[in-house]
mmCIF file of all heavy atoms in Angstrom:
data_model
loop_
_atom_site.group_PDB
_atom_site.id
_atom_site.type_symbol
_atom_site.label_atom_id
_atom_site.label_comp_id
_atom_site.label_asym_id
_atom_site.label_seq_id
_atom_site.Cartn_x
_atom_site.Cartn_y
_atom_site.Cartn_z
ATOM 1 N N GLY A 1 -11.376 8.786 -5.117
ATOM 2 C CA GLY A 1 -10.744 7.656 -5.778
ATOM 3 C C GLY A 1 -9.285 7.486 -5.421
ATOM 4 O O GLY A 1 -8.697 6.448 -5.679
ATOM 5 N N ALA A 2 -8.680 8.520 -4.834
ATOM 6 C CA ALA A 2 -7.279 8.405 -4.421
ATOM 7 C C ALA A 2 -7.198 7.463 -3.236
ATOM 8 O O ALA A 2 -8.054 7.456 -2.367
ATOM 9 C CB ALA A 2 -6.728 9.779 -4.027
ATOM 10 N N GLU A 3 -6.155 6.663 -3.221
ATOM 11 C CA GLU A 3 -5.934 5.714 -2.133
ATOM 12 C C GLU A 3 -4.553 5.930 -1.548
ATOM 13 O O GLU A 3 -3.617 5.192 -1.847
ATOM 14 C CB GLU A 3 -6.056 4.269 -2.649
ATOM 15 C CG GLU A 3 -7.445 3.852 -3.029
ATOM 16 C CD GLU A 3 -8.324 3.591 -1.830
ATOM 17 O OE1 GLU A 3 -7.802 3.409 -0.708
ATOM 18 O OE2 GLU A 3 -9.548 3.567 -2.012
ATOM 19 N N PRO A 4 -4.387 6.969 -0.734
ATOM 20 C CA PRO A 4 -3.062 7.171 -0.139
ATOM 21 C C PRO A 4 -2.732 6.046 0.833
ATOM 22 O O PRO A 4 -3.619 5.568 1.548
ATOM 23 C CB PRO A 4 -3.196 8.505 0.596
ATOM 24 C CG PRO A 4 -4.660 8.639 0.862
ATOM 25 C CD PRO A 4 -5.364 7.930 -0.258
ATOM 26 N N VAL A 5 -1.497 5.598 0.801
ATOM 27 C CA VAL A 5 -1.071 4.551 1.722
ATOM 28 C C VAL A 5 0.164 5.023 2.475
ATOM 29 O O VAL A 5 0.972 5.769 1.953
ATOM 30 C CB VAL A 5 -0.783 3.216 1.003
ATOM 31 C CG1 VAL A 5 -2.052 2.640 0.396
ATOM 32 C CG2 VAL A 5 0.287 3.358 -0.045
ATOM 33 N N ALA A 6 0.259 4.593 3.691
ATOM 34 C CA ALA A 6 1.423 4.908 4.514
ATOM 35 C C ALA A 6 2.249 3.641 4.668
ATOM 36 O O ALA A 6 1.697 2.540 4.763
ATOM 37 C CB ALA A 6 0.977 5.424 5.884
ATOM 38 N N GLY A 7 3.536 3.815 4.654
ATOM 39 C CA GLY A 7 4.409 2.668 4.821
ATOM 40 C C GLY A 7 5.806 3.135 5.159
ATOM 41 O O GLY A 7 6.006 4.256 5.623
ATOM 42 N N ASP A 8 6.751 2.285 4.901
ATOM 43 C CA ASP A 8 8.152 2.571 5.157
ATOM 44 C C ASP A 8 8.931 2.066 3.949
ATOM 45 O O ASP A 8 9.027 0.856 3.736
ATOM 46 C CB ASP A 8 8.599 1.868 6.430
ATOM 47 C CG ASP A 8 10.068 2.094 6.759
ATOM 48 O OD1 ASP A 8 10.820 2.625 5.906
ATOM 49 O OD2 ASP A 8 10.483 1.732 7.865
ATOM 50 N N VAL A 9 9.454 2.984 3.158
ATOM 51 C CA VAL A 9 10.109 2.590 1.914
ATOM 52 C C VAL A 9 11.352 1.737 2.141
ATOM 53 O O VAL A 9 11.841 1.108 1.209
ATOM 54 C CB VAL A 9 10.453 3.809 1.031
ATOM 55 C CG1 VAL A 9 9.190 4.503 0.560
ATOM 56 C CG2 VAL A 9 11.392 4.757 1.737
ATOM 57 N N MET A 10 11.843 1.682 3.354
ATOM 58 C CA MET A 10 13.012 0.858 3.633
ATOM 59 C C MET A 10 12.651 -0.491 4.266
ATOM 60 O O MET A 10 13.516 -1.309 4.518
ATOM 61 C CB MET A 10 13.996 1.616 4.528
ATOM 62 C CG MET A 10 14.584 2.857 3.839
ATOM 63 S SD MET A 10 15.355 2.528 2.239
ATOM 64 C CE MET A 10 16.842 1.693 2.746
ATOM 65 N N ALA A 11 11.370 -0.722 4.498
ATOM 66 C CA ALA A 11 10.928 -1.992 5.077
ATOM 67 C C ALA A 11 10.564 -2.962 3.954
ATOM 68 O O ALA A 11 10.171 -2.540 2.862
ATOM 69 C CB ALA A 11 9.720 -1.759 5.988
ATOM 70 N N PRO A 12 10.671 -4.260 4.213
ATOM 71 C CA PRO A 12 10.259 -5.233 3.201
ATOM 72 C C PRO A 12 8.819 -4.975 2.753
ATOM 73 O O PRO A 12 7.952 -4.699 3.581
ATOM 74 C CB PRO A 12 10.376 -6.574 3.932
ATOM 75 C CG PRO A 12 11.389 -6.324 5.015
ATOM 76 C CD PRO A 12 11.170 -4.894 5.433
ATOM 77 N N GLY A 13 8.586 -5.039 1.446
ATOM 78 C CA GLY A 13 7.247 -4.810 0.917
ATOM 79 C C GLY A 13 6.725 -3.412 1.190
ATOM 80 O O GLY A 13 5.525 -3.178 1.206
ATOM 81 N N LEU A 14 7.618 -2.483 1.412
ATOM 82 C CA LEU A 14 7.317 -1.085 1.741
ATOM 83 C C LEU A 14 6.635 -0.914 3.090
ATOM 84 O O LEU A 14 6.130 0.148 3.400
ATOM 85 C CB LEU A 14 6.471 -0.415 0.650
ATOM 86 C CG LEU A 14 7.075 -0.388 -0.751
ATOM 87 C CD1 LEU A 14 6.142 0.330 -1.708
ATOM 88 C CD2 LEU A 14 8.447 0.258 -0.744
ATOM 89 N N GLY A 15 6.614 -1.958 3.897
ATOM 90 C CA GLY A 15 6.017 -1.851 5.231
ATOM 91 C C GLY A 15 4.532 -1.572 5.192
ATOM 92 O O GLY A 15 3.981 -0.973 6.122
ATOM 93 N N LEU A 16 3.858 -2.001 4.138
ATOM 94 C CA LEU A 16 2.429 -1.722 3.991
ATOM 95 C C LEU A 16 1.591 -2.593 4.919
ATOM 96 O O LEU A 16 1.850 -3.791 5.063
ATOM 97 C CB LEU A 16 1.990 -1.953 2.545
ATOM 98 C CG LEU A 16 2.628 -1.030 1.525
ATOM 99 C CD1 LEU A 16 2.306 -1.509 0.116
ATOM 100 C CD2 LEU A 16 2.156 0.397 1.731
ATOM 101 N N ALA A 17 0.585 -1.997 5.514
ATOM 102 C CA ALA A 17 -0.360 -2.745 6.338
ATOM 103 C C ALA A 17 -1.205 -3.636 5.428
ATOM 104 O O ALA A 17 -1.388 -3.340 4.243
ATOM 105 C CB ALA A 17 -1.263 -1.776 7.112
ATOM 106 N N ASP A 18 -1.735 -4.715 5.973
ATOM 107 C CA ASP A 18 -2.530 -5.650 5.175
ATOM 108 C C ASP A 18 -3.698 -4.968 4.476
ATOM 109 O O ASP A 18 -3.972 -5.238 3.309
ATOM 110 C CB ASP A 18 -3.055 -6.795 6.053
ATOM 111 C CG ASP A 18 -1.943 -7.743 6.481
ATOM 112 O OD1 ASP A 18 -0.876 -7.761 5.822
ATOM 113 O OD2 ASP A 18 -2.147 -8.466 7.478
ATOM 114 N N GLY A 19 -4.369 -4.050 5.169
ATOM 115 C CA GLY A 19 -5.504 -3.350 4.569
ATOM 116 C C GLY A 19 -5.076 -2.511 3.372
ATOM 117 O O GLY A 19 -5.753 -2.489 2.339
ATOM 118 N N ASP A 20 -3.943 -1.826 3.498
ATOM 119 C CA ASP A 20 -3.440 -1.030 2.377
ATOM 120 C C ASP A 20 -3.011 -1.928 1.222
ATOM 121 O O ASP A 20 -3.251 -1.618 0.056
ATOM 122 C CB ASP A 20 -2.272 -0.154 2.816
ATOM 123 C CG ASP A 20 -2.722 1.055 3.624
ATOM 124 O OD1 ASP A 20 -3.888 1.472 3.464
ATOM 125 O OD2 ASP A 20 -1.916 1.571 4.408
ATOM 126 N N ARG A 21 -2.409 -3.042 1.538
ATOM 127 C CA ARG A 21 -1.972 -3.975 0.493
ATOM 128 C C ARG A 21 -3.178 -4.479 -0.310
ATOM 129 O O ARG A 21 -3.118 -4.597 -1.533
ATOM 130 C CB ARG A 21 -1.216 -5.143 1.121
ATOM 131 C CG ARG A 21 -0.524 -6.019 0.122
ATOM 132 C CD ARG A 21 0.341 -7.070 0.798
ATOM 133 N NE ARG A 21 1.378 -6.505 1.629
ATOM 134 C CZ ARG A 21 2.498 -5.934 1.184
ATOM 135 N NH1 ARG A 21 2.697 -5.817 -0.090
ATOM 136 N NH2 ARG A 21 3.391 -5.466 2.010
ATOM 137 N N ARG A 22 -4.304 -4.759 0.380
ATOM 138 C CA ARG A 22 -5.520 -5.198 -0.320
ATOM 139 C C ARG A 22 -6.036 -4.106 -1.244
ATOM 140 O O ARG A 22 -6.460 -4.385 -2.360
ATOM 141 C CB ARG A 22 -6.597 -5.613 0.683
ATOM 142 C CG ARG A 22 -6.350 -6.991 1.298
ATOM 143 C CD ARG A 22 -7.558 -7.491 2.068
ATOM 144 N NE ARG A 22 -7.888 -6.666 3.233
ATOM 145 C CZ ARG A 22 -7.306 -6.787 4.421
ATOM 146 N NH1 ARG A 22 -6.359 -7.681 4.601
ATOM 147 N NH2 ARG A 22 -7.659 -6.015 5.423
ATOM 148 N N HIS A 23 -6.000 -2.858 -0.791
ATOM 149 C CA HIS A 23 -6.453 -1.739 -1.635
ATOM 150 C C HIS A 23 -5.597 -1.600 -2.890
ATOM 151 O O HIS A 23 -6.094 -1.201 -3.946
ATOM 152 C CB HIS A 23 -6.413 -0.417 -0.866
ATOM 153 C CG HIS A 23 -7.536 -0.234 0.089
ATOM 154 N ND1 HIS A 23 -8.844 -0.215 -0.302
ATOM 155 C CD2 HIS A 23 -7.535 -0.056 1.425
ATOM 156 C CE1 HIS A 23 -9.610 -0.039 0.753
ATOM 157 N NE2 HIS A 23 -8.838 0.060 1.814
ATOM 158 N N LEU A 24 -4.331 -1.913 -2.783
ATOM 159 C CA LEU A 24 -3.428 -1.721 -3.910
ATOM 160 C C LEU A 24 -3.758 -2.608 -5.107
ATOM 161 O O LEU A 24 -3.417 -2.261 -6.240
ATOM 162 C CB LEU A 24 -1.978 -1.977 -3.487
ATOM 163 C CG LEU A 24 -1.358 -0.933 -2.571
ATOM 164 C CD1 LEU A 24 0.071 -1.333 -2.213
ATOM 165 C CD2 LEU A 24 -1.378 0.438 -3.197
ATOM 166 N N ALA A 25 -4.435 -3.719 -4.879
ATOM 167 C CA ALA A 25 -4.761 -4.620 -5.985
ATOM 168 C C ALA A 25 -5.575 -3.918 -7.067
ATOM 169 O O ALA A 25 -5.494 -4.266 -8.243
ATOM 170 C CB ALA A 25 -5.508 -5.843 -5.463
ATOM 171 N N ALA A 26 -6.333 -2.892 -6.701
ATOM 172 C CA ALA A 26 -7.174 -2.180 -7.662
ATOM 173 C C ALA A 26 -6.518 -0.914 -8.208
ATOM 174 O O ALA A 26 -7.112 -0.215 -9.025
ATOM 175 C CB ALA A 26 -8.501 -1.819 -7.000
ATOM 176 N N VAL A 27 -5.302 -0.622 -7.809
ATOM 177 C CA VAL A 27 -4.639 0.618 -8.211
ATOM 178 C C VAL A 27 -4.207 0.552 -9.675
ATOM 179 O O VAL A 27 -3.633 -0.440 -10.126
ATOM 180 C CB VAL A 27 -3.414 0.887 -7.301
ATOM 181 C CG1 VAL A 27 -2.504 1.943 -7.888
ATOM 182 C CG2 VAL A 27 -3.887 1.284 -5.920
ATOM 183 N N SER A 28 -4.499 1.629 -10.402
ATOM 184 C CA SER A 28 -4.060 1.702 -11.798
ATOM 185 C C SER A 28 -2.949 2.748 -11.985
ATOM 186 O O SER A 28 -2.228 2.706 -12.964
ATOM 187 C CB SER A 28 -5.237 2.032 -12.711
ATOM 188 O OG SER A 28 -5.809 3.269 -12.347
ATOM 189 N N LEU A 29 -2.835 3.677 -11.074
ATOM 190 C CA LEU A 29 -1.811 4.724 -11.136
ATOM 191 C C LEU A 29 -1.161 4.848 -9.770
ATOM 192 O O LEU A 29 -1.851 4.980 -8.759
ATOM 193 C CB LEU A 29 -2.443 6.070 -11.512
ATOM 194 C CG LEU A 29 -1.552 7.309 -11.378
ATOM 195 C CD1 LEU A 29 -0.390 7.246 -12.353
ATOM 196 C CD2 LEU A 29 -2.363 8.569 -11.588
#
């Protein structure tokens, strides 16, 4: 159930890839 995402905390929107951004919609924690 864990959904680790990789990004860049200094990039706009945390630099999240589109696929990771879609997964985040269901994140509760």
